[in-house]
Each structure stands twice: as C-alpha cells, then as structure tokens.
Amino acid sequence: MGSRVVPLGIPTDTMNEAKDSNHPVVLLSTRDPVLNQGPLGSPLRRERSPLKIFCDDEADLEEGKLLKSKDNKLLVGPVRIHNQALLSGLAYCLSSCSMILVNKFVLSGYDFSAGISLMLYQNFVSVVVVSVLSLSGMISTEPLTWRLIRVWLPVNFIFVGMLITSMFSLKHINVAMVTILKNVTNVITALGETYFFGKYHDTRVWTALVLMIVSAISGGITDLSFNAVGYSWQFCNCILTASYSLTLRRVMDTAKQATKSGNLNEFSMVLLNNTLSLPLGLFLVLVFNEVDYLSTTPLLKKPMFWLVITSSGFLGLAISFTSLWFLHQTSATTYSLVGSLNKIPLSVAGILLFNVPTSIKNTFSILFGLLAGIFFAKAKIRERSQS
C-alpha cells in the first residue's frame, strides 16, 4: 500500500482528505493550509514519524486510536508536556491559520507582485531548516539520489504549479472565498478517484460535494470583490491540487523503491519536493519577468518585509511539525473535524483583518460552504467506518 503525500503549505482540506485516504499521510510542504484537500477513502494508518522529539509513542490511527505512554505525556528533551492533544491541536490551528493570513498580508497588504519569488524563498527556507535539523540528528532524511529525483520530477512540476497558482489566486481573492473555492478540489479528486481507481463513495459524500459546488457558485455570484483573474487562477489551482493527489498514488511505490532504505518519510519528501522546486522556481521567475519587479520594488529594502516573508517560510514547516504532533495525539477523525472547523475562524479573520466588503448573501454563501465542508468531513468518517 503506497503512501499519500500532502502538500503542506500551501493550501487544511487536502490534509483532511488525505487522512481519510487508503494510504498513509505524508506531509510535504506547508505553503497554504487551506489546501488540505486530497483523496477520499479509508482510515489513515501513519508510519512512525522520523521526528524524534514528538514520536516516542507508537500510533495506530487506522482504528482512530493512539497507543500512548502510561502517563500520556510526551518527552521533549528534559521537559514533560501535559495535555498534548489540546496543545498540539491549538498549535496546528494557529500555524495553519497564520500561514495563509501571512501570505495574504504579503501579497495584498504589502502589494507584493512576485508570487513565484515568494514561493521560491519560502521553499528555500524549508530546505535550509530541514537540512539543518537532519544534520543535527533531530530528524532523519533519505539521501537525494538521481534515481529518486528522476522518479519525482513529474510530481514536482505539478507541486510547483500548485503553489504558484495558490499564490496568484490569493493575491486577488479574499481569504474566505479562497477557503470555499478550495472545496472544488474535493469534487475533482473524488471524480478522479472514481474514474482512475474505481473508488466508491456513498450518497452522503456525493451530497456534500454537490453542496460544496453550490456554495462555491453562490459565493462567486455574491462576491462584492469578485476578480475574474483570481477566480481563474483558483480554478487552475484546484485542478493541479487534485492532479497532484491522484498522481502521487501512482508514483509513491516507485519512489520508495528508488531510495536506499525502501521508504520515504515525511521530512525526506519535504526536502525532496522543496529542493527540486528551487531550480524550476528560478526558471519561472525569469519566464514571468519577476526580476525587473524585484530590482525596482522598495519592499526588499525593508527589514520588516524580510522578517514577514521569512516567518511565512517557518510557518510552512510549523504546519508540518504540528500536523505530525497532532496526528500522534488524536485520531484521524478528530484531525479531520478540527481541520474543517478551523476554516471558520480563518474565514472570519480574513474578512475582518483585510476589511473585505461583503453582503448578507455572500456571508450566507461562505457560511453554507463552511458547513458543507463539515458535513463532508462527517460523511467521509461515516463512509470510512462502514468500509
């Protein structure tokens, strides 16, 4: 059984669906927490995480249970942490919400018009941090061999496209609508799983998907800040995100065989995906002529701007770490519901922090979409329990 890889950071639904897939969840890059929209299916069974600080306990999430130490505490160096489920859940919610809000602030608040360069810098930060942690022995990563790189390159092209379209859409669309429109990814993924893998989904799941489509359409119609360019980029992002999830199902087993150990842990794939994205990102910076903009913008001379974009890179990795931590402390069911509920404060914060013009109809459409997401998560849980 192959692993499912979830692009972290980028866009909390892809993760929610990946948890319910037929494969173990693998966290790849955290650029857009709203992404978390991946395959649907059976219960999650996670492999032992390579993150030594958080993984002293064995987890079996397939049955929604976690085998913990007797006193339910986790050792982080010499310090014992109590109430880890609550703490890890709060850390995950905070980091995932903060990631997209910071990206929105950079792209819209600072009016930064080089989304590819922002993605490139964030990925560079991820590579540096993961490499340092690996060299220090805090995490374990697989060596990047040419054989593995050749297998992974097609996936990485989709991965980079997914991150870039996410940046472009977020610049033009408010956070709440991005959250709702991301639900379309679920629909495309479900159709792809049915067509390519013969995956069966029950009536409740399809009903939830229809509700998501209705909320996305009604939200777009009533969006007072509607931007055709932003919506086009978001639709492309949904297609690429679904393609990324579906493609990984075919590639993961081959990629594992290309490693020395015969396995790819979460942080090896973070390192692999982000490292391969650097040369492609540089090429796209030249193609989209962002060099001219970067050479003239005064933003690069502001220390605070560098602090903000660097923090966005660390937030991306924070989602990877907190997601792993949260999954070790709770069940896949809890993780799924928290991911869906987390969209509510994210949407509200996006509207309030960026003074988004809205109407009663648009607010209702957004609320309807959020509820459809919760209904979708519950439908998948029910489907999983019956399979």
Side-chain angles (χ1 to χ4, degrees):
M1 180 175 64
S3 295
R4 267 299 324 287
V5 181
V6 178
L8 293 176
I10 21 198
T12 319
D13 284 339
T14 297
M15 175 62 71
N16 295 340
E17 297 148 16
K19 307 180 288 324
D20 303 324
S21 68
N22 294 320
H23 308 278
V25 168
V26 178
L27 311 177
L28 278 199
S29 165
T30 359
R31 293 293 157 270
D32 186 355
V34 178
L35 239 180
N36 298 344
Q37 300 176 355
L40 322 160
S42 66
L44 162 73
R45 187 182 187 91
R46 270 203 358 91
E47 298 172 345
R48 184 177 178 87
S49 169
L51 181 58
K52 297 179 181 178
I53 341 180
F54 294 149
C55 303
D56 293 332
D57 301 327
E58 291 290 346
D60 183 0
L61 299 182
E62 182 159 358
E63 300 299 329
K65 300 176 182 178
L66 176 67
L67 304 179
K68 304 177 182 178
S69 58
K70 186 175 182 180
D71 56 0
N72 195 30
K73 298 174 182 177
L74 183 63
L75 284 175
V76 181
V79 181
R80 284 181 179 272
I81 298 178
H82 299 262
N83 300 321
Q84 290 182 64
L86 176 61
L87 183 59
S88 60
L90 290 174
Y92 166 69
C93 290
L94 181 62
S95 59
S96 61
C97 285
S98 299
M99 179 66 198
I100 192 170
L101 292 175
V102 170
N103 276 346
K104 180 64 175 176
F105 178 65
V106 172
L107 296 168
S108 298
Y110 276 109
D111 195 23
F112 188 64
S113 299
I116 301 176
S117 299
L118 177 60
M119 178 275 297
L120 182 65
Y121 182 72
Q122 290 176 340
N123 289 5
F124 174 74
V125 171
S126 296
V127 170
V128 171
V129 174
V130 172
S131 298
V132 170
L133 292 177
S134 179
L135 291 174
S136 65
M138 296 183 67
I139 61 174
S140 61
T141 57
E142 290 288 330
L144 304 184
T145 63
W146 281 113
R147 182 185 175 193
L148 177 59
I149 291 173
R150 284 196 299 268
V151 171
W152 201 261
L153 270 179
V155 179
N156 192 255
F157 286 137
I158 302 175
F159 173 77
V160 172
M162 182 176 61
L163 295 185
I164 291 175
T165 53
S166 175
M167 291 291 188
F168 288 169
S169 66
L170 189 58
K171 181 173 177 61
H172 300 289
I173 308 177
N174 67 74
V175 172
M177 281 310 304
V178 167
T179 303
I180 301 306
L181 294 173
K182 280 290 182 184
N183 287 336
V184 176
T185 301
N186 294 323
V187 180
I188 300 173
T189 302
L191 292 172
E193 287 183 331
T194 302
Y195 181 80
F196 293 109
F197 302 105
K199 172 67 178 177
Y200 169 80
H201 299 299
D202 62 26
T203 305
R204 289 175 180 265
V205 171
W206 289 114
T207 300
L209 292 173
V210 170
L211 294 178
M212 287 179 170
I213 295 176
V214 172
S215 68
I217 294 175
S218 62
I221 294 174
T222 59
D223 187 1
L224 299 181
S225 57
F226 178 85
N227 184 291
V229 174
Y231 273 69
S232 298
W233 282 118
Q234 185 55 56
F235 182 67
C236 292
N237 177 257
C238 291
I239 294 176
L240 287 170
T241 302
S243 300
Y244 182 77
S245 299
L246 296 170
T247 302
L248 283 171
R249 290 200 169 197
R250 298 184 179 277
V251 172
M252 277 307 303
D253 289 337
T254 305
K256 284 186 175 184
Q257 294 172 6
T259 63
K260 293 183 177 180
S261 67
N263 188 34
L264 269 177
N265 61 43
E266 294 89 341
F267 295 104
S268 293
M269 283 183 271
V270 170
L271 184 61
L272 175 63
N273 240 356
N274 287 282
T275 300
L276 294 182
S277 72
L278 298 183
L280 180 57
L282 285 172
F283 173 74
L284 292 175
V285 165
L286 297 175
V287 170
F288 281 80
N289 199 27
E290 288 189 354
V291 176
D292 289 345
Y293 171 78
L294 294 174
S295 63
T296 58
T297 180
L299 290 174
L300 298 184
K301 299 178 182 179
K302 298 181 178 180
M304 183 56 67
F305 177 75
W306 282 102
L307 178 62
V308 172
I309 62 174
T310 301
S311 68
S312 68
F314 279 97
L315 280 172
L317 280 176
I319 299 176
S320 297
F321 282 81
T322 57
S323 295
L324 289 172
W325 186 16
F326 192 31
L327 280 169
H328 270 278
Q329 302 304 317
T330 59
S331 67
T333 299
T334 302
Y335 188 97
S336 181
L337 289 176
V338 169
S340 296
L341 292 171
N342 196 36
K343 292 181 181 180
I344 298 176
L346 174 61
S347 299
V348 173
I351 292 174
L352 296 179
L353 292 176
F354 298 100
N355 298 317
V356 177
T358 186
S359 64
I360 295 178
K361 291 181 179 179
N362 186 246
T363 301
F364 177 78
S365 297
I366 293 172
L367 179 61
F368 184 74
L370 294 173
L371 294 176
I374 296 174
F375 178 64
F376 177 62
K378 295 185 69 174
K380 290 190 299 177
I381 292 170
R382 182 183 178 87
E383 179 185 71
R384 186 174 62 223
S385 66
Q386 294 176 346
S387 61

